Amino acid sequence: METVTTVAELRSIVKQWKKEGKSIGFVPTMGYLHEGHGSLISRARENDRVVVSIFVNPMQFGENEDFSSYPRDFERDCRFCGSLGTDIVFHPDPSEIYASDFCTFVDMSRLTENLCGKSRPGHFRGVCTVVAKLLNIVNPDRAYFGEKDAQQLAVIKRMVRDLNIDVEIIGCPIVREHDGLAKSSRNTYLNGDERKAALVLNKALSYAEMLAKKGVTDPETITSAMIELIKSEPLAKVDYVKAVNSITMEDIEKINPQTLIAIAVYIGKTRLIDNLIVR
Ligand code: AMP
């Protein structure tokens, strides 16, 4: 496995691979990798070559968010990537990605106006801009994203369609801890009590699933019940609990198969997200 830090070097390797007719799978990440990322990398092995990017993208963090404290362990990430058969880890410096006079952005409307886009203004502008750049740099056949970030996955699929980017976007299922907590690099922020309290996210989603299975179709009935359950956990504070169309991210009037139930909850100071699609 090779580590590459410049766009020029990555481009020349990819050019050679393309000449040889190799297919390329790409997994963009912010590092501090866990089995959630691992599942994407393993799936990407369906291509001849796999590139994983590790880049904590400053543009997608708000001013008072955790950009500087975001967990980083590049050596460990490299061992993890190597053990899963990654060919290249792309680890650029922010200055390699953003020139000092950088002024071009990918700004999506509609899909970004609800859920995390509403709570984190500017977040998806940062995500779309960096993912568009990374797709241009790596030029993969397929790129892999987790359903854990369901809105991000929908946004990237729409961006690729709207901008005619020649790549197949593949969504991969949420990987969870043994007790149901969705794996996340941010779980490392949680202390012992918070880690226990964080189970309330998955509990609320399971409760919603149970209500939907029982035939409850009113989104408000389901989201209110979820909010009540989350409120019973003293360390938890709801950011949002929403039932939306899983493609458009718009609020819906009736729960149906393919409805996305998405939640963001603060556990202490840590903001966690999770979701499920009603089947
Ligand atoms: P991040 O490093 O948090 O930006 O995540 C990089 C990619 O890994 C994104 O496409 C995430 O959706 C995906 N991912 C993160 N956590 C999980 C998880 N628990 N299960 C599946 N995919 C995940």
Side-chain angles (χ1 to χ4, degrees), residues 192-257:
D193 288 342
E194 290 170 342
R195 173 65 183 75
K196 280 184 212 141
L199 292 177
V200 79
L201 279 89
N202 190 39
K203 271 188 208 151
L205 288 168
S206 301
Y207 189 39
E209 192 169 35
M210 190 267 289
L211 292 173
K213 270 195 187 139
K214 274 193 173 163
V216 180
T217 56
D218 175 35
E220 173 72 23
T221 306
I222 291 191
T223 54
S224 308
M226 292 172 76
I227 290 169
E228 278 314 303
L229 191 151
I230 296 166
K231 276 188 179 159
S232 71
E233 171 48 66
L235 295 176
K237 192 170 152 275
V238 172
D239 177 4
Y240 66 72
V241 173
K242 284 260 180 175
V244 299
N245 178 300
S246 60
I247 294 167
T248 64
M249 299 293 121
E250 282 165 356
D251 291 349
I252 44 154
E253 274 164 22
K254 203 172 164 210
I255 304 276
N256 53 44

Side-chain angles (χ1 to χ4, degrees), residues 18-90:
K18 298 248 165 190
K19 228 191 221 167
E20 294 165 8
K22 307 289 188 205
S23 60
I24 301 169
F26 176 46
V27 181
T29 82
M30 297 204 300
Y32 215 72
L33 304 178
H34 50 68
E35 286 82 1
H37 302 106
S39 71
L40 274 53
I41 299 171
S42 300
R43 175 81 198 272
R45 286 262 40 127
E46 66 190 342
N47 301 274
D48 298 318
R49 296 287 182 267
V50 174
V51 178
V52 176
S53 64
I54 297 180
F55 180 62
V56 186
N57 174 34
M59 200 191 283
Q60 70 190 65
F61 288 80
E63 246 174 54
N64 298 315
E65 293 184 350
D66 56 344
F67 172 69
S68 45
S69 58
Y70 196 83
R72 292 162 170 91
D73 189 341
F74 185 60
E75 299 303 317
R76 193 181 65 117
D77 286 349
C78 282
R79 287 196 296 277
F80 185 73
C81 286
S83 74
L84 294 173
T86 303
D87 294 283
I88 286 186
V89 169
F90 181 49

Side-chain angles (χ1 to χ4, degrees), residues 152-222:
Q152 170 173 278
L153 176 59
V155 163
I156 298 299
K157 280 185 175 163
R158 181 63 64 93
M159 176 184 79
V160 159
R161 191 206 71 179
D162 285 356
L163 299 183
N164 305 96
I165 303 179
D166 191 12
V167 63
E168 186 184 351
I169 300 299
I170 295 175
C172 301
I174 301 176
V175 176
R176 297 179 178 280
E177 302 285 355
H178 60 92
D179 57 5
L181 177 65
K183 288 198 181 248
S184 164
S185 309
R186 289 190 169 98
N187 290 349
T188 52
Y189 295 148
L190 304 170
N191 66 29
D193 288 342
E194 290 170 342
R195 173 65 183 75
K196 280 184 212 141
L199 292 177
V200 79
L201 279 89
N202 190 39
K203 271 188 208 151
L205 288 168
S206 301
Y207 189 39
E209 192 169 35
M210 190 267 289
L211 292 173
K213 270 195 187 139
K214 274 193 173 163
V216 180
T217 56
D218 175 35
E220 173 72 23
T221 306
I222 291 191

